[in-house]
Amino acid sequence: MKTPFLQAIKERVLVLDGAMGTMLQERGLRPGQSPEELNLSMPDVVAGVHREYLEAGADIIVTNTFGGTRPKLEHYGLEEKVREINARAVEIAREVCGDRAYVAASMGPTGLFVEPVGETTFDTMAAFFREQAAALIEAGADLITLETFLDIKEIRAAVIAIREISSTIPIIAQLTFDNEGRTVLGTPPEAAAVTLAAAGADIVGSNCGLGPDGICAVLGAMRGVTRLPLISQANAGLPKLVDGKTVFPGTPDDMTAFHDRMLELNVRVIGGCCGTTPAHIRAIKEALGGRDLSWRDCGPPAGVTFLASRTSVVALGGGLPAVIIGERINPTGKKAFAQELREGKITTIRREAMEQTAAGAHLLDVNVGTPGIDEPAAMERAVFCVTGSVAVPLVLDSSDPAALERGLKAADGKVLVNSVNGEAKSIERVLPLVKKYGAAVIGLALDETGIPETAEGRLAVAERIVAAAEGRGISRNDVVIDCLTLTVSAEQKRAMETLRAVRLVKETLGCPTVLGVSNISFGLPRRPLISSAFFAMALAAGLDAAIVNPKEEEMMAAWRSAMVLLNRDPSAAAYIAAYAGTAAAAPEPAASGEALDIRERLKRAVITGDRENIVALVEEALGQGLEPLQVSNEGLLPGLEEVGRRFEKNLVFLPQVMQSADTMQAAFGRLKEVMQGSPAASRGKILMATVEGDIHDIGKNIVCTLLENHGFEVIDLGKNVPADRIVGKARELGVDAVGLSALMTTTMTEMENVIARLKEAGIRTFTMVGGAVVTQEYADEIGADLYARDAMEAVARIKALLEKQA
């Protein structure tokens, strides 16, 4: 009988098998055929691949179910065989392995994006993964491995869905990163590890996309924020085209070059991805022999809470600099904002998110509770708006469990829930949501009897909250205690009791602490004076986070100064960065948006993705006498070009690019109405297609959207497009360029075939190629005119080429 998997990885490093797709292709998988269908039609072939890896020394055999979700199987007309295909795959692997190896059920991405980047809802995405996971678990898989994900939101939905079915089955969660250390949608390894660990993954790591050196760097970054065991599944180097075939140059020995570093990082599973064969797996296994494979307890220090957005991580506690939580996204006492919420508008939310972040907020509190609204729907809109506008993690602030759950589904990473208190009803309503969706939570030191008068009373409530959280599997690091700030004008003696409570909680529980600092000065004149003094005192007492208005300079000055004096700002670096070379006088007020030229306001709206107001700005520009082409060329396109520049510098990422593109489309929709009957200038006609055999089209779709926004006429033929159709349409439409996409190494060679066919047919057109596995070297080898790493580069390069040609 095998040792339980999670116990086994504590005892030794396990070896996972290698590539499946290329092995099946060599054994009869036809171009365009579903690899998963072979579980039914050619089970002996699948079993044979498993057997080769088992004999090579693999401790973990991965099922042939990577594309086994309903959306993926639907491309082959197999959507009604989800359960049959996945269950049979587990049976095949189990028959081969017996007790010699663990059966890891593979689950890959659906090919869809979760809203607002895509159109698939969180619930729909989770349902796809629940369906597949149920079949795999019922068939007897030992664990589930999530592989080659590009979207943190999608893989988070997958982990949560699996945990709805089973709280015990081990989950490996892996994303694919590029050479810059981010996923396609901009997620760095740290944000991925924080989010997936909180959601319920048992092992995190990376597969595909990179060789052992690149994967090792990714895992090193993850180790800084998690103590979970890690997994490495590197490619055998980066693919090259040799004699018309895709070849991975990495030798078996190359796969073992980073073993020592992997072991230092407590990598407990090492396997192979694209290009790896039984020979590579054998080398990995043999190279582990004679090494110290004992468990290494490493990672971040205890007492630190990590929160994450899609693209960033914030740490609080453990003596780190205190965190500023912006409090301004809250309709309390703000009639105009409350009315906006009732009308379903998000203008104030976007503005406050950007202004507070620019002022120094590390987290943003999001509260949309006001009478007369659908609060769950408003919370979802607010989360989508904030996460599309700024990079900081969120604090979801609501007393409505339905609104909290809607916000937790809409969020990209690990958020902080505000809040739970010591009442049994509150604990039962809030903590299950915190656990299910992988969040942290603010614990208010009050209960049915109100706020205890003494620090000891508040500590007792905090202890009950922490015990209730730990009883539900929530780490005390993820419970941030609010000892509650009372109004000093009414209860002057209790201000110091709050500070004493902060010290007691830190000393007794070791939990991070937070206060809504501004409450202290309510009812007094010149409130920032009192608030900033109390803030500094609270920081000296050990406060880890504060809910404040970051746009109040007195509060930020108190925070920066206290961090220096408390030795929580090493070398006073943050203080100097804020104040070096500045005058003591108050800063000049920012120019009002209304004072800006309409062209500049259009540009800014595109940059910030302000879809809500872009049509009104277009109307204003037209009303001022601008021609439609002036609106486009002097206002809208400069905005999108600036987004492109920021994208190149890693200042914004693909979700923000798509939000700006969506804003552009709304503006162009209005301009097209004005220009009906007038000839529209086009930069060129582009034919786009994902080549035959490849059903991945996310990247190609993004390129199409951006090309259209830059004034190109785009003909999108879709995915899995035969060469004959591409050539025929290119001839029929007289296109200026043909763009080809491929995600898989097994289909990228079809690009060469299409380009050759275009030349044979005498079609004079430029060709552009791209996709996760495509490189500049490969593009040169097959005779493509252009290669683009990403959508923004594709637009820039095709514009430059066609303008030069003209």
Side-chain angles (χ1 to χ4, degrees):
M1 185 175 179
K2 295 193 298 288
T3 302
F5 178 76
L6 294 179
Q7 180 182 333
I9 61 170
K10 290 266 187 169
E11 298 171 356
R12 59 194 173 98
V13 175
L14 300 182
V15 175
L16 183 141
D17 65 16
M20 171 64 75
T22 50
M23 297 279 282
L24 291 178
Q25 192 175 35
E26 292 171 359
R27 290 158 177 76
L29 178 66
R30 301 184 306 276
Q33 183 182 9
S34 165
E36 291 72 29
E37 193 275 334
L38 268 59
N39 296 326
L40 304 181
S41 63
M42 301 172 65
D44 291 343
V45 170
V46 177
V49 175
H50 291 330
R51 193 170 293 109
E52 287 189 50
Y53 281 123
L54 183 67
E55 296 304 323
D59 302 298
I60 305 169
I61 297 298
V62 180
T63 60
N64 180 35
T65 53
F66 176 76
T69 55
R70 180 170 290 269
K72 279 295 185 69
L73 292 176
E74 186 176 10
H75 293 298
Y76 305 101
L78 299 170
E79 64 272 21
E80 298 308 319
K81 295 188 176 183
V82 172
R83 181 171 296 276
E84 181 183 1
I85 286 172
N86 283 280
R88 183 66 183 115
V90 174
E91 292 170 3
I92 294 168
R94 294 214 68 86
E95 290 166 3
V96 171
C97 294
D99 287 335
R100 296 174 60 190
Y102 298 91
V103 173
S106 173
M107 294 175 65
T110 60
L112 306 171
F113 278 139
V114 186
E115 60 184 0
V117 177
E119 298 180 352
T120 306
T121 67
F122 177 93
D123 287 338
T124 299
M125 188 67 79
F128 291 145
F129 290 120
R130 272 197 306 272
E131 180 182 32
Q132 185 184 16
L136 295 168
I137 293 171
E138 289 172 13
D142 295 309
L143 63 142
I144 289 179
T145 177
L146 300 167
E147 306 178 281
T148 324
F149 279 78
L150 305 175
D151 181 4
I152 188 63
K153 206 162 192 173
E154 182 182 20
I155 193 172
R156 176 174 174 263
V159 174
I160 291 169
I162 296 166
R163 282 287 170 249
E164 287 183 300
I165 297 170
S166 172
S167 62
T168 58
I169 191 163
I171 299 176
I172 295 173
Q174 302 179 85
L175 287 100
T176 296
F177 298 87
D178 60 21
N179 288 324
E180 302 299 319
R182 290 183 181 267
T183 68
V184 167
L185 292 183
T187 301
E190 297 90 337
V194 168
T195 301
L196 296 173
D202 297 291
I203 302 175
V204 295
S206 179
N207 78 298
C208 203
L210 299 170
D213 53 341
I215 294 284
C216 193
V218 165
L219 299 185
M222 288 185 170
R223 180 49 71 214
V225 297
T226 184
R227 302 182 76 84
L228 286 183
L230 302 176
I231 177 172
S232 167
Q233 261 188 280
N235 285 347
L238 298 179
K240 296 182 177 181
L241 191 67
V242 178
D243 296 330
K245 292 185 178 181
T246 304
V247 174
F248 286 83
T251 66
D253 286 343
D254 291 337
M255 299 297 292
T256 69
F258 290 83
H259 270 19
D260 290 338
R261 177 58 177 153
M262 296 283 191
L263 296 178
E264 288 176 8
L265 293 171
N266 204 31
V267 175
R268 306 306 292 175
V269 179
I270 302 177
C273 202
C274 296
T276 56
T277 65
H280 293 83
I281 301 308
R282 183 174 291 105
I284 290 172
K285 181 77 168 185
E286 291 174 352
L288 290 172
R291 281 183 161 93
D292 179 7
L293 304 182
S294 58
W295 179 271
R296 288 168 170 78
D297 194 11
C298 54
V304 178
T305 298
F306 292 99
L307 302 169
S309 67
R310 181 187 291 274
T311 57
S312 69
V313 169
V314 169
L316 61 117
L320 295 170
V323 168
I324 300 296
I325 303 174
E327 68 181 5
R328 296 281 299 165
I329 302 177
N330 188 323
T332 303
K334 303 170 187 171
K335 291 183 179 179
F337 183 21
Q339 183 58 33
E340 272 191 21
L341 290 173
R342 282 190 282 270
E343 294 172 359
K345 296 180 178 178
I346 54 175
T347 300
T348 297
I349 295 173
R350 177 181 288 106
R351 185 185 69 248
E352 286 291 354
M354 298 177 71
E355 289 180 356
Q356 289 184 96
T357 303
H362 307 103
L363 306 172
L364 292 179
D365 188 87
V366 179
N367 184 322
V368 293
T370 195
I373 66 165
D374 179 348
E375 188 174 347
M379 178 64 83
E380 181 181 74
R381 280 194 299 274
V383 171
F384 286 164
C385 172
V386 175
T387 56
S389 302
V390 296
V392 300
L394 303 185
V395 181
L396 301 185
D397 187 353
S398 177
S399 58
D400 180 354
L404 281 179
E405 184 162 25
R406 193 83 165 262
L408 286 163
K409 291 177 180 179
D412 294 332
K414 180 184 177 184
V415 306
L416 180 61
V417 168
N418 187 8
S419 55
V420 68
N421 61 51
E423 295 185 52
K425 180 173 69 173
S426 176
I427 287 171
E428 291 303 319
R429 294 171 71 184
V430 176
L431 291 187
L433 294 176
V434 171
K435 174 61 178 174
K436 177 177 179 178
Y437 292 101
V441 65
I442 292 175
L444 304 181
L446 62 84
D447 57 16
E448 296 89 342
T449 63
I451 302 174
E453 292 190 7
T454 66
E456 287 79 9
R458 297 182 208 182
L459 172 63
V461 176
E463 287 175 327
R464 292 203 305 273
I465 294 172
V466 170
E470 290 184 325
R472 289 164 173 79
I474 302 168
S475 166
R476 70 173 54 206
N477 282 354
D478 286 333
V479 182
V480 184
I481 298 298
D482 186 342
C483 295
L484 300 168
T485 306
L486 303 177
T487 304
V488 72
S489 60
E491 301 179 275
Q492 193 167 349
K493 294 180 180 179
R494 297 177 73 180
M496 296 306 295
E497 204 65 19
T498 293
L499 300 182
R500 199 165 71 83
V502 170
R503 292 190 182 95
L504 267 180
V505 166
K506 296 288 291 182
E507 293 168 1
T508 307
L509 296 177
C511 294
T513 54
V514 64
L515 287 174
V517 176
S518 302
N519 295 340
I520 194 74
S521 61
F522 185 78
L524 293 174
R526 298 195 66 183
R527 291 184 60 187
L529 293 179
I530 291 286
S531 296
S532 59
F534 178 74
F535 189 12
M537 295 169 71
L539 291 168
L543 187 68
D544 297 301
I547 303 173
V548 300
N549 178 3
K551 295 189 285 186
E552 286 186 352
E553 179 52 34
E554 292 95 334
M555 298 299 286
M556 298 303 286
W559 168 67
R560 293 187 184 103
S561 302
M563 290 300 94
V564 174
L565 297 171
L566 294 169
N567 195 30
R568 292 163 75 178
D569 178 8
S571 303
Y575 182 91
I576 292 170
Y579 297 121
T582 62
E588 291 291 324
S592 168
E594 292 302 318
L596 294 173
D597 178 80
I598 186 60
R599 296 168 179 80
E600 183 63 24
R601 289 162 61 203
L602 285 164
K603 176 181 174 181
R604 291 192 178 191
V606 172
I607 292 170
T608 60
D610 187 4
R611 192 183 194 282
E612 186 172 78
N613 295 302
I614 192 66
V615 173
L617 289 172
V618 169
E619 295 285 5
E620 185 178 339
L622 295 171
Q624 290 184 15
L626 270 68
E627 294 296 325
L629 286 178
Q630 286 181 289
V631 175
S632 173
N633 296 336
E634 299 174 17
L636 301 174
L637 284 175
L640 197 58
E641 288 166 355
E642 175 60 24
V643 171
R645 285 188 285 271
R646 296 184 184 187
F647 180 80
E648 289 177 1
K649 296 178 181 178
N650 280 339
L651 299 176
V652 298
F653 300 96
L654 198 52
Q656 288 76 37
V657 171
M658 294 304 295
Q659 184 168 294
S660 293
D662 190 41
T663 302
M664 286 281 288
Q665 285 187 325
F668 281 151
R670 178 66 187 109
L671 291 178
K672 286 177 182 177
E673 293 176 5
V674 176
M675 296 173 66
Q676 276 186 347
S678 302
S682 170
R683 290 179 181 266
K685 189 183 296 184
I686 315 292
L687 182 72
M688 296 290 295
T690 300
V691 297
E692 186 172 17
D694 202 315
I695 60 171
H696 303 87
D697 63 353
I698 291 176
K700 182 262 299 171
N701 291 346
I702 293 169
V703 174
C704 290
T705 298
L706 295 182
L707 284 170
E708 287 177 341
N709 286 334
H710 278 270
F712 290 96
E713 180 184 351
V714 178
I715 302 96
D716 182 6
L717 298 184
K719 51 185 176 279
N720 193 21
V721 184
D724 286 345
R725 184 156 185 253
I726 296 172
V727 172
K729 279 293 182 181
R731 178 189 291 110
E732 173 190 341
L733 300 173
V735 297
D736 298 291
V738 173
L740 303 173
S741 173
L743 184 70
M744 303 186 297
T745 57
T746 54
T747 58
M748 61 189 286
T749 53
E750 179 63 15
M751 290 178 167
E752 181 182 24
N753 177 44
V754 174
I755 292 172
R757 295 281 297 279
L758 287 167
K759 291 177 179 177
E760 289 170 8
I763 298 174
R764 299 176 61 83
T765 184
F766 293 112
T767 53
M768 175 174 64
V769 297
V773 295
V774 183
T775 64
Q776 180 66 62
E777 181 182 13
Y778 179 73
D780 294 339
E781 289 183 12
I782 64 176
D785 296 298
L786 289 180
Y787 159 73
R789 293 173 301 172
D790 52 58
M792 295 303 294
E793 185 173 275
V795 173
R797 290 197 167 191
I798 198 67
K799 278 174 58 180
L801 183 63
L802 292 181
E803 287 170 3
K804 180 179 178 181
Q805 178 71 13

